[in-house]
Amino acid sequence: QVQLAESGGGLVQAGGSLRLSCAASGRTFSMYTMGWFRQAPGKEREFVATISWNVINTYYADSVKGRFTISRDNAKNTVYLQMNSLKPEDTAVYYCAARSGRNSETLDEYNYWGQGTQVTVSS
């Protein structure tokens, strides 16, 4: 079992930056692939980024590539999402998720989810 708790969301102007954190409980955090997803009002939850357990592999949605960076610190049981050059269309609730197995962009393949943190980007 893994419990996840996101933090770091807030209100930021377009062009600004935020860093989201996701703290995980459990001794086996380092064994999980981690992902970030987001859900805007009236839209389906979508993939943002994922990072493998050993930090070697990272993948990003085209919409955030070059602006967002996913990272993790297994010693601190934490995964991060650094978001730069934010745009109003990045406004959403951001969720972290964990799964056993390889990187995946598929929402249904993640077993554990946090409660989400709101990110609002004003124009």
Side-chain angles (χ1 to χ4, degrees):
Q1 288 281 345
V2 176
Q3 293 185 326
L4 304 172
E6 303 93 337
S7 61
L11 173 64
V12 64
Q13 289 188 332
S17 298
L18 281 175
R19 188 175 82 152
L20 305 183
S21 299
C22 174
S25 66
R27 296 174 297 171
T28 58
F29 170 78
S30 61
M31 297 173 59
Y32 287 92
T33 290
M34 300 299 296
W36 284 97
F37 292 78
R38 66 186 182 186
Q39 188 166 17
K43 296 187 176 181
E44 294 186 350
R45 196 170 299 188
E46 64 176 8
F47 166 76
V48 175
T50 180
I51 186 167
S52 60
W53 68 273
N54 57 7
V55 193
I56 291 177
N57 298 309
T58 58
Y59 300 96
Y60 297 89
D62 287 343
S63 58
V64 307
K65 204 171 294 183
R67 300 188 297 123
F68 290 12
T69 302
I70 188 171
S71 62
R72 68 190 294 166
D73 185 338
N74 287 339
K76 295 183 178 180
N77 281 13
T78 303
V79 62
Y80 305 96
L81 185 68
Q82 177 66 44
M83 306 186 294
N84 299 328
S85 303
L86 282 161
K87 304 175 181 180
E89 50 264 43
D90 294 319
T91 295
V93 177
Y94 282 72
Y95 299 88
C96 70
R99 72 179 301 265
S100 300
R102 295 182 295 179
N103 293 83
S104 173
E105 301 180 10
T106 304
L107 184 151
D108 291 344
E109 293 185 352
Y110 285 79
N111 309 105
Y112 304 102
W113 291 84
Q115 81 289 350
T117 185
Q118 176 70 48
V119 171
T120 303
V121 184
S122 63
S123 56

